[in-house]
Amino acid sequence: MPTALITGITGQDGAYLAQLLLDKGYEVVGMMRRSASSDVVGERLRWLGVLDRVRLIEGNLIDLSSLLRILHDVKPDEVYNLAAQSFVATSWQQPLLTGSVTGLGAANVLEALRLVRPQARFYQASSSEMYGRVQAPRQSETTPFYPRSPYAVAKLYAHWMTINYRESFGLHASSGILFNHESPLRGIEFVTRKVTDAVARIKLGLARELPLGNLDAQRDWGHARDYVRAMWLMLQQDAPGDYVVATGRAVSIREMVRIAFACVGLEADDFVRLRQDLLRPAEVDFLEGDATKARTQLGWAPTVTLEDMLAEMVEADLARHRARMG
Ligand code: NDP
Ligand code: GDR
């Protein structure tokens, strides 16, 4: 039975990846940072019904000694580095923390791997945010990067460190350049989940409006369950590499909001309020990925449309709020 170590197992992707690997017969070990609310941090794993099947181990991306200890004890065959300060807006408020965790944190994992477990295969959670002010109409593995936030700059450092450790030390280190992916387990601060949660509350009479920032930005949105499958596929290849994972369809925030409200028969325009303070200091206006390499080399393709995903998210948020109302 292969063993996988997942950093960031308590996040959206960590939970779906843990479920996928358990279904494939892996022993799954998740690194979790110490929290004063440890009773709730496993909520996503519980929601998927896998909390009791994973082994959780305490550590932190910015504590190299904890990573060395964990790799030494767990002896994983595969390491998925999903942990990060992942919210772009926060990265302007906490740029140094974002650099430490999202950037240097990845270097810590790579360094620990090189020293303790160089035979393990490594996955780095890179991001379409690295394209920022896009240099090509559709972004692929060969499109130059132009990061537009402290988060994206930190991810770019981690991305190049992954490539550098592959080339310098021969590590089987791959980088997935994943475009936005969502699910009912998406953090509530990200725009899709913020919207579906508001749609549910408005429908149930618990809220009357939805404050939003830039509605003109466009994103290429897929489903997290599809995207964690691409992560796993990357580590099953004989040679490591970098892969764009995307649907190839860009949709504006405005249109996404319209689709989400339509799920419950409401008009978005009646509820959306524009708020200047939700605009970002620098915006990524447009992202649309070209996942040809993932399709041809990994045999990967997305299976869920934006419409179906938003419907699933709205349903889940309605169920959550109904349960709370009793
Ligand atoms: P989440 O924000 O849901 O999860 C982030 C995880 O990182 C959480 O488990 C969090 O723990 C953990 N974490 C944060 N700081 C530390 C730390 N110092 N030490 C250890 N763990 C830490 O992110 P997603 O699941 O959405 O994304 C997974 C990864 O993929 C991230 O690296 C993200 O940047 C990247 N990515 C995501 C995309 C997306 O659209 N979702 C697209 C491209 C890349 P806790 O629960 O304690 O907060
Ligand atoms: P993003 O996701 O920044 O693309 O990063 P987010 O959902 O936060 O923003 C998407 C777009 O929506 C606009 N927007 C708003 N965003 C939020 N969060 N809240 C609002 O009220 C709002 N109004 C408009 C934003 O300006 C932006 O243009 C996500 C994260 O998961 C990263 O970790 C990951 O790397 C990238 O996706 C790919």
Side-chain angles (χ1 to χ4, degrees):
M1 186 196 284
T3 300
L5 172 70
I6 304 175
T7 75
I9 194 164
T10 57
Q12 169 188 259
D13 291 7
Y16 280 109
L17 180 64
Q19 184 183 47
L20 177 91
L21 297 176
L22 287 166
D23 286 349
K24 291 189 180 297
Y26 279 70
E27 183 188 347
V28 175
V29 183
M31 190 186 86
M32 227 174 82
R33 56 178 168 166
R34 197 266 154 185
S35 165
S37 314
S38 54
D39 51 334
V40 291
V41 289
E43 223 23 72
R44 292 187 173 95
L45 294 161
R46 188 175 293 120
W47 201 82
L48 290 176
V50 297
L51 182 58
D52 296 339
R53 296 170 61 202
V54 299
R55 185 172 139 214
L56 296 173
I57 192 162
E58 202 174 286
N60 197 303
L61 226 54
I62 59 175
D63 184 321
L64 176 62
S65 65
S66 70
L67 299 171
L68 291 166
R69 170 181 50 79
I70 289 168
L71 288 178
H72 178 267
D73 292 352
V74 173
K75 301 186 175 36
D77 302 294
E78 297 175 7
V79 176
Y80 296 85
N81 183 38
L82 308 186
Q85 189 306 91
S86 73
F87 189 39
V88 173
T90 290
S91 76
W92 280 281
Q93 312 300 328
Q94 300 181 36
L96 303 182
L97 175 101
T98 303
S100 300
V101 177
T102 306
L104 272 178
N108 281 336
V109 181
L110 283 162
E111 188 59 4
L113 210 62
R114 176 175 83 86
L115 294 170
V116 177
R117 193 73 183 159
Q119 68 272 47
R121 296 184 172 192
F122 174 78
Y123 174 84
Q124 169 59 22
S126 287
S127 165
S128 53
E129 279 294 296
M130 301 187 307
Y131 296 117
R133 180 179 280 169
V134 294
Q135 305 292 297
R138 301 188 93 206
Q139 301 85 51
S140 73
E141 294 79 7
T142 54
T143 304
F145 299 113
Y146 192 132
R148 292 271 283 169
S149 63
Y151 166 82
V153 173
K155 278 289 180 191
L156 197 50
Y157 170 77
H159 177 70
W160 280 111
M161 283 300 275
T162 302
I163 294 169
N164 183 263
Y165 269 53
R166 179 202 304 159
E167 294 177 354
S168 305
F169 304 116
L171 295 187
H172 192 295
S174 291
S175 179
I177 308 174
L178 270 52
F179 283 59
N180 298 54
H181 47 279
E182 323 290 312
S183 73
L185 297 182
R186 187 56 143 152
I188 198 120
E189 65 276 31
F190 300 95
V191 74
T192 53
R193 180 72 203 296
K194 179 176 173 178
V195 168
T196 61
D197 178 70
V199 165
R201 283 187 294 113
I202 289 169
K203 182 69 181 172
L204 297 173
L206 299 170
R208 284 212 293 253
E209 54 185 46
L210 166 59
L212 286 175
N214 180 11
L215 300 181
D216 294 320
Q218 297 182 49
R219 289 291 183 276
D220 177 333
W221 280 293
H223 197 297
R225 199 182 299 107
D226 278 340
Y227 285 43
V228 299
R229 200 173 65 251
M231 297 176 186
W232 175 77
L233 282 168
M234 284 176 220
L235 298 207
Q236 310 318 305
Q237 305 306 302
D238 289 341
D242 307 319
Y243 296 87
V244 161
V245 178
T247 70
R249 174 189 173 202
V251 174
S252 69
I253 311 299
R254 181 176 283 103
E255 173 64 4
M256 180 272 291
V257 174
R258 191 196 64 72
I259 298 168
F261 272 95
C263 291
V264 295
L266 295 175
E267 287 278 347
D269 290 348
D270 295 338
F271 305 100
V272 170
R273 301 287 172 266
L274 296 182
R275 275 241 315 260
Q276 293 295 318
D277 62 314
L278 292 173
L279 298 176
R280 296 177 176 180
E283 181 59 281
V284 173
D285 295 318
F286 177 84
L287 290 171
E288 188 177 273
D290 175 358
T292 305
K293 184 179 175 189
R295 280 178 196 271
T296 52
Q297 291 193 17
L298 304 178
W300 178 87
T303 66
V304 185
T305 63
L306 176 62
E307 285 76 5
D308 287 349
M309 182 177 72
L310 290 170
E312 180 191 348
M313 292 172 70
V314 168
E315 262 325 302
D317 280 318
L318 281 167
R320 280 190 187 104
H321 287 295
R322 285 196 184 108
R324 273 176 214 150
M325 289 160 78

